[in-house]
Amino acid sequence: MVGGGEGSFIGAAHRVAARLDDQFELVAGAFSSDPARALASGVAIGLPGERCYGGFEQMVASEAQRQDGAEVVAIVTPNHLHAPVATVCLQHGLDVICEKPLAVSLAEADALVQLAAAQQRLFTVTHTYAGYPAIRHARELVASGALGELRVVQVEYAQDWLATDLEQTGHKQAGWRIDPAQAGPAGALGDIGTHAFHLVGYVGGIAVEQVCAEVHTFVPGRQLDDHVQVMLRLQGGARGMLWASQVASGEHNALRLRLYGSRGAIRFDQEVPDSLWFTPLGEPTQHLRRGALNSPSAAAATRLPPGHPEGWYEALAQLYRDFAELWHARAEARVPPPWALATPQLHDGRQGLAFIDAVLRSHRAGQCWVSLQ
Ligand code: NAI
């Protein structure tokens, strides 16, 4: 693991997710940019001191020398380090599980795509919400034609934790997220807009081709956006809107998706993740709950009997389970099952950067339509 030291957020969640299905063992880490903190962080979770490294280059080089060296890396640092760390890991033959956004520029993302292909490595980008059974079921429902021709896509990711200048209080996670040197050129756009964007393509099965966007900063003095609103033109003529905001008072993790087709619609609310609502045109709305989500990929992403709530940890764990299945399939020279291939991969991460790039170009050009590259 690179990142995920004491006081950090997502690294600990990755450690839980990796263990949930008994497919991974944490063997080494470079947990912090501060060597003393890196050592203390690793020892505190039971790693031997010699495998708690002061830097990621040292970790990769040392692990490569060991018989029992690490085989997979989880990159859970702030955004600006994703590509540099992934590059070194790929060069040393490690498979990669990396946080989003994949990189801080489209050029960096493209370079990773080339390198991973040349090295023939597995590469997952942890768009966590793609691990929910309800989302996988929705994806299969759309692919089955149950909605007819897709016409309208509405997606929003609304939070309120940056409604004040939290970054001025020493808050660790807020601090780097509004610093372009660490977050990249996008604030809320990169942090949560990329999740919303990913869900559109993941569930809808069609690509966003053009965007017309306004990027805005509400909190005075903040260097990056905390709010973005984007109109979408999608493959095949569908239209949509994406709204991502970290200043939406009263909202916590309100990631909501609605898709409307010529024969029906679906609705998903991340804060009620065991549920999916499906309305065939002219018929009553069906409230599908986990247990009734019987598509193969939803069933493969379910652990507990219906009625025992599953949630965000399980969704992240699903991406680890998918990855493990892909890893074993490669080792055994067999074709992996479709449910494992449903995991978000390097291309999805690259498209997130294409989205950021297009939104910023659109905004800077005066909110006009631009194509994704
Ligand atoms: P954080 O600030 O809580 O943790 C970052 C960690 O990286 C810290 O332990 C820090 O010491 C470490 N770090 C910094 N520089 C390092 C270096 N040179 N070498 C080794 N470690 C270093 O940040 P948070 O919130 O955990 O976010 C980390 C990443 O996860 C971000 O890219 C973020 O976008 C992503 N994220 C994804 C989520 C999801 O739903 N998939 C949710 C939250 C965050």
Side-chain angles (χ1 to χ4, degrees):
M1 175 168 278
V2 181
E6 284 174 350
S8 68
F9 170 47
I10 202 74
H14 276 251
R15 292 194 290 269
V16 171
R19 282 199 300 265
L20 205 65
D21 297 302
D22 293 322
Q23 294 294 311
F24 295 85
E25 181 190 359
L26 182 66
V27 294
F31 297 104
S32 167
S33 54
D34 169 5
R37 200 176 175 86
L39 176 63
S41 298
V43 169
I45 56 172
L47 282 183
E50 77 268 16
R51 295 183 88 176
C52 305
Y53 299 95
F56 66 88
E57 292 100 335
Q58 188 197 352
M59 181 191 84
V60 174
S62 299
E63 288 294 314
Q65 302 302 315
R66 297 179 66 110
Q67 287 286 333
D68 61 350
E71 294 166 302
V72 179
V73 64
I75 303 171
V76 290
T77 61
N79 306 346
H80 68 304
L81 291 167
H82 293 174
V85 176
T87 300
V88 171
C89 292
L90 289 170
Q91 286 166 342
H92 283 77
L94 291 171
D95 295 305
V96 178
I97 296 172
C98 183
E99 265 305 341
K100 43 49 61 177
L102 172 64
V104 293
S105 72
L106 186 53
E108 254 190 0
D110 280 333
L112 281 179
V113 171
Q114 284 192 1
L115 180 60
Q119 298 290 93
Q120 298 191 310
R121 293 297 96 195
L122 296 174
F123 201 121
T124 281
V125 177
T126 44
H127 282 297
T128 314
Y129 309 103
Y132 282 126
I135 286 295
R136 297 214 168 175
H137 188 77
R139 186 175 197 246
E140 288 202 30
L141 212 51
V142 174
S144 75
L147 270 59
E149 181 193 333
L150 206 54
R151 289 175 171 166
V152 181
V153 173
Q154 293 283 131
V155 66
E156 62 190 51
Y157 198 156
Q159 302 179 329
D160 72 356
W161 70 291
L162 293 178
T164 62
D165 58 353
L166 189 63
E167 60 270 24
Q168 304 298 339
T169 67
H171 188 284
K172 182 179 172 68
Q173 285 76 22
W176 70 255
R177 276 176 171 80
I178 55 82
D179 173 11
Q182 297 181 79
L189 168 62
D191 201 34
I192 56 174
T194 49
H195 275 313
F197 171 78
H198 179 255
L199 269 197
V200 169
Y202 188 78
V203 177
I206 52 175
V208 173
E209 292 181 334
Q210 294 187 320
V211 297
C212 177
E214 182 176 18
V215 173
H216 191 70
T217 306
F218 278 101
V219 173
R222 186 166 279 167
Q223 290 188 67
L224 290 173
D225 66 276
D226 48 30
H227 175 97
V228 57
Q229 47 202 38
V230 188
M231 291 195 289
L232 312 171
R233 287 179 183 157
L234 296 102
Q235 197 182 353
R239 296 291 188 268
M241 281 195 256
L242 181 153
W243 169 52
S245 181
Q246 292 179 313
V247 300
S249 298
E251 299 286 11
H252 294 148
N253 272 288
L255 173 57
R256 301 183 186 119
L257 176 71
R258 283 174 288 156
L259 299 183
Y260 301 91
S262 54
R263 295 201 289 116
I266 51 171
R267 178 159 53 90
F268 172 76
D269 179 348
Q270 196 280 143
E271 292 182 348
V272 197
D274 264 2
S275 289
L276 180 70
W277 287 268
F278 172 47
T279 313
L281 182 63
E283 294 180 27
T285 297
Q286 301 171 18
H287 180 186
L288 307 177
R289 298 175 68 203
R290 191 170 48 77
L293 302 173
N294 53 6
S295 58
S297 65
T302 293
R303 291 166 185 77
L304 296 175
H308 292 308
E310 288 189 345
W312 185 79
Y313 278 120
E314 285 87 348
L316 187 57
Q318 186 57 35
L319 307 190
Y320 273 86
R321 185 193 259 184
D322 296 336
F323 186 96
E325 184 62 23
L326 296 177
W327 200 92
H328 287 302
R330 183 184 61 188
E332 294 157 17
R334 62 175 165 84
V335 178
W339 60 261
L341 288 166
T343 209
Q345 301 188 41
L346 188 49
H347 177 71
D348 300 89
R350 188 267 175 205
Q351 288 308 100
L353 267 298
F355 174 67
I356 292 173
D357 170 75
V359 165
L360 293 177
R361 279 190 287 118
S362 168
H363 175 74
R364 287 173 190 148
Q367 294 92 38
C368 62
W369 286 99
V370 303
S371 297
L372 267 71
Q373 289 179 355

